[in-house]
Amino acid sequence: DEKDVAVKNLRHILEAIEKRSGVHANVQEFLGGGPPYEDFFTPSKVFTSSNYDQTSQLDQWESQQPLGYQSIVQLEVQEADYHLSVYKVKVALEQTLSSVNSSEQPSGTAQVKEVSNIGDGCLIIALWSESRVIVTWDGRKHVGINLTTNDEDFSFTSEFVKTFIKQIPSLKKLLIDEYPRGYGNVVSFLKDLEDEDYREPVWAR
């Protein structure tokens, strides 16, 4: 089997080392490989969450204070003959900020700062009272959007990304990562912490 082959190969390697160096090799312990499969395995003990002290985890859960929402979006040009530029990326951002502007998210008032003297692409930062966004372009096909809002405004983030892609239709969304931001070792969104059906996590009951 595979284990026997591995041992045989190891022996050949050790023999080659001894011949070339004159140093005797001694294997003290051989570890590795997966456990053998058992068709009808019955564990001697079964552990559930109640068998473990959940105190520190519950303290951490209750200490979370989400204050914002961050999304990191990865976009890439799909057309081989389409070429991005600093100008195109900046105009797309400015038009997006203007289009999604509202009283709740006054993105039209954003202060925009462009940094294009680093590498082949650019970095553009836009700040306004409720949010901030960082747009990066690698000088080739990739555009990244890092958008943070002061509350969990999921609909605004979705509309922002859709509107940005409308400005450059050759772009396609490949990936989006979403994170709560705050303090108290926050790892959960506010909507989950305030869920009336799950005021206390299942594992803490």
Side-chain angles (χ1 to χ4, degrees), residues 77-84 88 140-141 170:
V77 173
Q78 300 300 298
E79 299 174 12
D81 58 348
Y82 184 86
H83 300 287
L84 282 173
K88 290 178 181 178
R140 295 170 180 81
K141 301 287 188 181
S170 294

Side-chain angles (χ1 to χ4, degrees), residues 170-186:
S170 294
L171 288 174
K172 179 181 179 181
K173 182 175 69 176
L174 300 182
L175 179 70
I176 179 169
D177 292 311
E178 300 172 303
Y179 310 94
R181 287 293 177 249
Y183 63 94
N185 297 320
V186 60

Side-chain angles (χ1 to χ4, degrees), residues 53-66 180 182-189 193 199-201 203-204:
D53 182 8
Q54 305 287 355
T55 305
S56 60
Q57 294 94 320
L58 186 58
D59 289 343
Q60 183 273 327
W61 174 271
E62 294 175 342
S63 72
Q64 296 181 93
Q65 296 295 325
Y183 63 94
N185 297 320
V186 60
V187 296
S188 303
F189 291 109
L193 295 174
R199 296 297 292 177
E200 186 179 74
W203 45 262

Side-chain angles (χ1 to χ4, degrees), residues 73-77 84-85 89 134-146 164 168 171-175:
V73 187
Q74 310 292 340
L75 309 173
E76 282 201 359
V77 173
L84 282 173
S85 66
V89 174
I134 300 173
V135 176
T136 58
W137 171 50
D138 67 353
R140 295 170 180 81
K141 301 287 188 181
H142 184 84
V143 174
I145 298 177
N146 186 335
F164 187 90
I168 307 178
L171 288 174
K172 179 181 179 181
K173 182 175 69 176
L174 300 182
L175 179 70

Side-chain angles (χ1 to χ4, degrees), residues 64-69 130 132 148-152 180-183 186 188 190:
Q64 296 181 93
Q65 296 295 325
L67 299 175
Y69 162 58
E130 296 299 320
R132 53 266 187 209
T148 304
T149 59
N150 289 351
D151 55 15
E152 292 180 5
R181 287 293 177 249
Y183 63 94
V186 60
S188 303
L190 184 62

Side-chain angles (χ1 to χ4, degrees), residues 1-66:
D1 60 7
E2 292 183 1
K3 182 172 67 175
D4 294 334
V5 173
V7 173
K8 186 181 294 184
N9 289 339
L10 177 61
R11 286 175 178 168
H12 290 323
I13 292 172
L14 294 177
E15 289 174 0
I17 292 175
E18 290 179 358
K19 288 180 180 179
R20 295 181 61 178
S21 65
V23 177
H24 177 67
N26 183 25
V27 178
Q28 298 290 335
E29 191 173 9
F30 192 90
L31 300 175
Y37 175 74
E38 296 184 35
D39 290 329
F40 303 100
F41 173 72
T42 302
S44 58
K45 292 184 179 180
V46 177
F47 298 92
T48 66
S49 59
S50 61
N51 295 111
Y52 300 89
D53 182 8
Q54 305 287 355
T55 305
S56 60
Q57 294 94 320
L58 186 58
D59 289 343
Q60 183 273 327
W61 174 271
E62 294 175 342
S63 72
Q64 296 181 93
Q65 296 295 325

